[in-house]
Amino acid sequence: MCTNYRCFVDDKVSKVAWLNRSNIIFAGEDKWSLDPRVDLVTKGQLEYSLRIQKVDVYDEGPYTCSIQTKQQPKTSQVYLIVQVPANIYKVSEDITVNEGSNVTLSCLANGRPDPSITWRLLNPSAEPLEGEEYLDINGIMRTQAGRYECKASNDVATPDVKYVNVVVNYPPFIKDAKSSETQVGRLGVLQCDASAVPKPEFEWYRDDKRLSNAQGISIQIFGTRTLLLVSNVTEDDYGNYTCVASNRLGIHSASLFLYKPGTGRDINGSACLTQSLWLLLASITCLFFKC
């Protein structure tokens, strides 16, 4: 950025100088300043202008063109105001917290004039949040996880923008459990979907027995979904099955049914959710002893 301060003189002027506050920059064409960014712009004998290249905030202040004539001295003064684009120089690191924790995100910026700081959570609504340099979130919920945008602006240039990613851990919740109406000799499929951060681990139980991949039984896990496949269903396979989802924050379980057509089970409704004591103890034991 370059700034020119124009000063015009005539042939009646005997002396002329440029000053910054009380410091002489030029006296006539003699340069007193040691700053290489400062020079004179002259056109014939009528213009005596000061040019400052690569303007800095430290250049802000009053500049005076002083003219001495035979009659009386004259001065022309300008005041340089240096504007600096908003710049975010410190922002919170990405964080992972447990649901219910208190969270404070920081976003520090400078500029001239002082920038205003705004926050948004970049979800579908992306509405502005209440907070400036510091954004306080009390008792954070899982719905408040995501990418937070901090924007600093002062109308000098394009706003500066930085982002903070917030991950919220929470215990599993089985949001969908599908029982299966299956004829003898066919493939029975039980499905269990859970929501959790970190990603849940799954176990399947039949009565008090934990199931594993064995003859006729196949357990498949796809992220937050698990399937229990019972091939070539027999009369002995009908009954109650339990899906257990767990992570280090908690456990959730649901009862599902593999049943013969015409017995009246409702597979379109929600499965019965249970958290029986024996199942919790069995699941915790398996987590610790990797059974």
Side-chain angles (χ1 to χ4, degrees):
M1 177 178 172
C2 176
T3 297
N4 285 3
Y5 296 115
R6 307 185 74 182
C7 186
F8 294 95
V9 298
D10 56 30
D11 54 6
K12 296 178 182 179
V13 173
S14 57
K15 294 180 181 179
V16 64
W18 271 107
L19 299 88
N20 176 216
R21 297 181 176 88
S22 60
N23 299 316
I24 298 175
I25 304 173
F26 276 94
E29 294 187 0
D30 295 331
K31 184 176 181 181
W32 287 40
S33 172
L34 298 178
D35 191 337
R37 301 173 302 127
V38 180
D39 61 354
L40 280 178
V41 176
T42 58
K43 293 183 180 179
Q45 296 181 344
L46 299 180
E47 184 174 351
Y48 185 75
S49 299
L50 181 70
R51 177 169 59 190
I52 305 174
Q53 301 186 64
K54 298 180 181 178
V55 172
D56 190 90
V57 292
Y58 300 107
D59 298 318
E60 184 166 301
Y63 290 81
T64 304
C65 177
S66 178
I67 300 171
Q68 181 67 48
T69 65
K70 293 179 180 179
Q71 287 78 23
Q72 59 182 0
K74 296 180 180 179
T75 60
S76 176
Q77 188 177 84
V78 293
Y79 194 97
L80 173 61
I81 298 175
V82 179
Q83 293 185 322
V84 179
N87 173 59
I88 297 173
Y89 62 88
K90 186 176 182 180
V91 68
S92 293
E93 300 286 341
D94 294 346
I95 60 170
T96 299
V97 297
N98 292 341
E99 189 172 42
S101 301
N102 295 331
V103 176
T104 298
L105 304 181
S106 63
C107 182
L108 306 181
N110 53 24
R112 295 169 68 97
D114 291 337
S116 62
I117 296 175
T118 57
W119 288 92
R120 292 192 304 163
L121 172 57
L122 299 182
N123 54 19
S125 63
E127 295 178 357
L129 303 173
E130 292 185 7
E132 295 183 359
E133 290 185 335
Y134 297 95
L135 176 66
D136 294 320
I137 308 171
N138 296 319
I140 192 167
M141 304 297 291
R142 65 193 69 179
T143 54
Q144 294 172 294
R147 187 173 173 86
Y148 284 78
E149 174 195 83
C150 167
K151 179 185 291 185
S153 57
N154 62 1
D155 297 328
V156 175
T158 302
D160 194 15
V161 179
K162 294 289 188 294
Y163 301 95
V164 183
N165 293 307
V166 177
V167 176
V168 178
N169 292 330
Y170 59 92
F173 173 73
I174 296 177
K175 56 186 179 180
D176 192 19
K178 294 181 179 178
S179 296
S180 177
E181 180 184 37
T182 307
Q183 294 180 352
V184 171
R186 298 292 183 89
L187 174 67
V189 180
L190 302 179
Q191 179 178 316
C192 187
D193 292 271
S195 174
V197 178
K199 185 174 67 176
E201 296 182 3
F202 288 103
E203 297 170 355
W204 285 93
Y205 289 83
R206 173 80 187 277
D207 298 325
D208 295 344
K209 180 183 178 182
R210 182 183 174 187
L211 302 177
S212 59
N213 289 311
Q215 186 174 6
I217 297 290
S218 175
I219 297 174
Q220 298 181 2
I221 298 175
F222 308 95
T224 59
R225 170 177 293 177
T226 180
L227 301 177
L228 177 67
L229 307 180
V230 183
S231 62
N232 194 22
V233 169
T234 67
E235 291 284 347
D236 291 338
D237 293 322
Y238 292 128
N240 178 53
Y241 292 79
T242 303
C243 166
V244 178
S246 63
N247 64 13
R248 58 183 177 82
L249 297 178
I251 296 174
H252 200 208
S253 61
S255 286
L256 303 88
F257 298 92
L258 178 63
Y259 61 95
K260 184 184 297 186
T263 57
R265 296 284 186 183
D266 180 11
I267 64 172
N268 295 320
S270 299
C272 175
L273 299 181
T274 65
Q275 288 195 339
S276 59
L277 179 60
W278 70 264
L279 193 53
L280 294 177
L281 292 175
S283 300
I284 293 171
T285 301
C286 286
L287 285 176
F288 278 102
F289 294 98
K290 306 297 184 182
C291 59

